Amino acid sequence: MNTKAVVDRFEGQKAVILVGDEEEQLVVDRKKLPVGTKEGHWLRVEVRDDVLIAAEFDEAETARTKERIAAKLSRLRKGEHRSC
Amino acid sequence: MFVSAEITARVRSGPSESAPVIGAIPRGTLVQVIERQGDWCKVTCSLLASEGWVHGTLLAESMPAAPPTQMPAPAPVIAGNLEVHFVDVGQGDSILIKSPEGKTALIDGGDTDTGIVSYLRSQGVQALTLVVATHPHADHIGGLVEVLRAFPVDEVVTNGVMHTTSTYERFLDAIADARAIYTEAKQGDVLQLGSLSFHVLHPQDPAGSDLNDQSLVLRLVHGQVAFLFTGDVQPEGQASILGSNLEVGADILKVAHHGSRTSSQSSFLSEVEPEVAIYSCGLGNSYGHPHPETIAALERAGAAVYGTDVNGTIVVTSNGSSYRVAAAKQSQAKASPVVPVAPSPVPTTAKPTAPTIEVLSLTSPIDHGANATLSIKTAPGAACTITVYYKSGASEAAGLGPQNADGSGVATWRWKVGTRTTPGTWRIVVTATIAGQRTTRNIDFEVR
C-alpha cells in the first residue's frame, strides 16, 4: 500500500476517491473503505488496474494536510494573498 | 389576442400540457394566433424566438385590466437580456451567467479537465466578475482551478467550508495566485453582478459533516423571472431554507445534486413551483443520476425537465418579463419502460428480436493514463451497460455507469485508463436490453 488517496465524497453507497498525485477518480463501494471513513480522510491504498485492492487510514497525512490547508484558507480570509 | 393569465402564460412546443415549456409571456402581451387545435392556440409574438402553443383560457380578445392580485413592484430591469448557461461538463455542475450589461459570473466549474475553459472561450468570455463555488467537492471546484488560471477573476465566493482533498488545496492555491478577492457568504447575504443581485438562501451557519448539505443556494431575480441555484443541497438543507421564510419561488430551478433521489423534496418543489427544472450530470455516470423518482416528482410539480446528460448545454435567456429555453440537443421521447414479456402459452410467430450492438468507435490501442472512449450503436432507447475487465478485475474508473441509448441508438462512455493499469489486451463487455431482450457483446482493447 504505497499510494496515497483521499476521499472526495460519498454518493449513496459509493465513495469517490482521488488516487495518487494524478488525482485519478475511482468510484468504489463504501464497504471497501475502512469502517468510519469520512469525506476528506487520507488513505494508503493499493490500486491495480483501476481496482481498489486494499485501503487503510493515513492519520498522519490527514492531520498534516488539514493543518496546511487551514493555514492557506486563513491567509485567504485575511486577504494576505492580495497584499504585496 | 392578449395574454390574460394572472402573471404569465406558459408557452409550450405542442398543443398539450405535457409538451415541454419553451417560454413564458407576461399578462397583457399582444400575441398573434396563427393556428388553433382544440383548446390550444399557436401564437407568435416579439418576445418569443419561435412560435409556440398557449392554452386558450389564458388569452383574451381585449387588453386585460390591471392584475387581479396585488403584484409586488417589479425590480428595475436594465435593458438587454440575461443569459444563464447550464453547461454540459459531464458529471458535475457549471453555470455561466451573463448579465444584461455584459458582466459574467460562474457558479461551479465542473470536475477537473471537463472543458469549462474552452466553453467560456467559445462564449467570448475574457474575464469573470464573480466565481461561486457552492461547496468543495471535486465535481464542482475541479474546473474552477483551470478557470482561475485561464481568466482574470475579480472575486471568488465560497460557503467557507473546508475540505482536505488535493483538488481543494489546488483551488485555494489558484485563488491566491489569481489575487482574487476571497469572500464567504451565508444566508441573508446579497452578491452583486452589475444590476443583478443573487440572494443567498443557504447555508445559515455552515456546520455539520455533510458537505453537500452546506451548499450555497442562490436566488437570482431578473425583473419577473427568477432562478434558483441549489448546488447539491440535501433534504435537511431544503427544510432549513423553507423554515427561513425567505422567498424561494423560481421559474427556473437548477435541480439539486444532479437529480439524485434525495435532490427534490416535494415540500421544497411545492414552494419553488418551477416551470422549468434543469439538472446537470454526465451520461453513463456511476451514481444513477438522475433518479427516475426525482424526474417524476419534478414533472408532477408541473416543471418541464431538462438535463445536460440528454440535452447538452441548456441556455435560458430572460428579458426580465419572459424567458426562453434553448437546448443544444432535443431530448428523445422517453424510451418506453422495459416490460418483461410474459411467457405465452401458445407460441407466437413474431418473437421479439434481441438488439444488435455495433461498435462505432473505440480508442485502441491506448496509453495507460489516457482517456478512452467507446461508442456503440444499438436499438434506440435500449438500456446499456459496460464493464471493463483488467487483470485485477472490473475497472472502478468513473464514467462506466449504465445509460440508455439515444434516439439514434447511440451510447457513448468516456473513462480514464489509470496510470496503474497493466499493459495488455483487455476485455470490454457491453450489454443492450430492450423489451426484455438482451444482447451481450465482447470487445477487446489494448492498453500500452
Side-chain angles (χ1 to χ4, degrees), chain B residues 226-366:
Chain B
F227 295 80
L228 190 63
F229 306 105
T230 54
D232 281 357
V233 73
Q234 299 292 302
E236 294 77 9
Q238 292 173 21
S240 150
I241 293 168
L242 294 183
S244 71
N245 288 322
L246 290 166
E247 175 61 55
V248 297
D251 303 282
I252 294 103
L253 168 68
K254 199 295 288 184
V255 178
H257 196 213
H258 321 288
S260 79
R261 190 174 203 155
T262 55
S263 65
S264 302
Q265 300 297 296
S266 56
S267 54
F268 190 67
L269 289 181
S270 61
E271 291 298 317
V272 177
E273 287 193 291
E275 292 180 349
V276 172
I278 300 172
Y279 65 84
S280 188
C281 72
L283 266 180
N285 67 74
S286 309
Y287 320 110
H289 298 157
H291 197 280
E293 284 175 19
T294 295
I295 301 296
L298 292 166
E299 286 176 345
R300 267 200 311 278
V305 181
Y306 294 83
T308 58
D309 56 346
V310 290
N311 296 114
T313 295
I314 299 145
V315 181
V316 180
T317 307
S318 159
N319 65 7
S321 55
S322 66
Y323 65 87
R324 60 176 190 270
V325 182
K329 287 182 262 181
Q330 285 289 63
S331 67
Q332 303 299 328
K334 287 191 184 62
S336 46
V338 178
V339 181
V341 183
S344 165
V346 182
T348 51
T349 47
K351 197 178 162 213
T353 53
T356 57
I357 298 176
E358 178 195 345
V359 177
L360 295 180
S361 67
L362 171 65
T363 38
S364 176
I366 185 165

Side-chain angles (χ1 to χ4, degrees), chain A:
Chain A
M1 287 199 260
N2 48 11
T3 306
K4 283 193 281 189
V6 62
V7 181
D8 182 63
R9 64 188 187 272
F10 296 123
E11 298 280 3
Q13 290 313 304
K14 306 266 188 179
V16 179
I17 61 172
L18 309 175
V19 180
D21 293 337
E22 308 86 2
E23 298 179 26
E24 287 176 357
Q25 286 194 11
L26 291 191
V27 183
V28 304
D29 279 344
R30 280 171 85 151
K31 284 180 289 201
K32 289 174 79 172
L33 300 180
V35 175
T37 301
K38 293 198 168 67
E39 292 182 329
H41 273 170
W42 281 82
L43 308 165
R44 306 293 299 182
V45 296
E46 187 181 345
V47 171
R48 264 183 277 151
D49 298 335
D50 294 338
V51 182
L52 178 68
I53 308 292
E56 64 182 30
F57 283 131
D58 189 340
E59 316 270 4
E61 184 66 25
T62 304
R64 246 192 327 265
T65 309
K66 199 175 229 169
E67 196 181 336
R68 191 176 63 240
I69 291 182
K72 289 183 176 181
L73 184 56
S74 166
R75 273 178 60 79
L76 289 179
R77 283 176 172 157
K78 291 182 192 149
E80 287 171 8
H81 64 295
R82 290 174 52 79
S83 52
C84 296

Side-chain angles (χ1 to χ4, degrees), chain B residues 374-378 384 403-406 409-413:
Chain B
L374 169 65
S375 216
I376 62 157
K377 191 175 168 78
T378 180
C384 304
Q403 62 179 286
N404 290 334
D406 69 11
V410 175
T412 301
W413 290 270

Side-chain angles (χ1 to χ4, degrees), chain B residues 27-47:
Chain B
R27 180 183 176 86
T29 306
L30 176 65
V31 298
Q32 231 181 338
V33 177
I34 50 179
E35 192 185 332
R36 286 174 196 271
Q37 262 188 45
D39 293 336
W40 291 83
C41 300
K42 193 180 203 177
V43 303
T44 61
C45 81
S46 56
L47 294 175

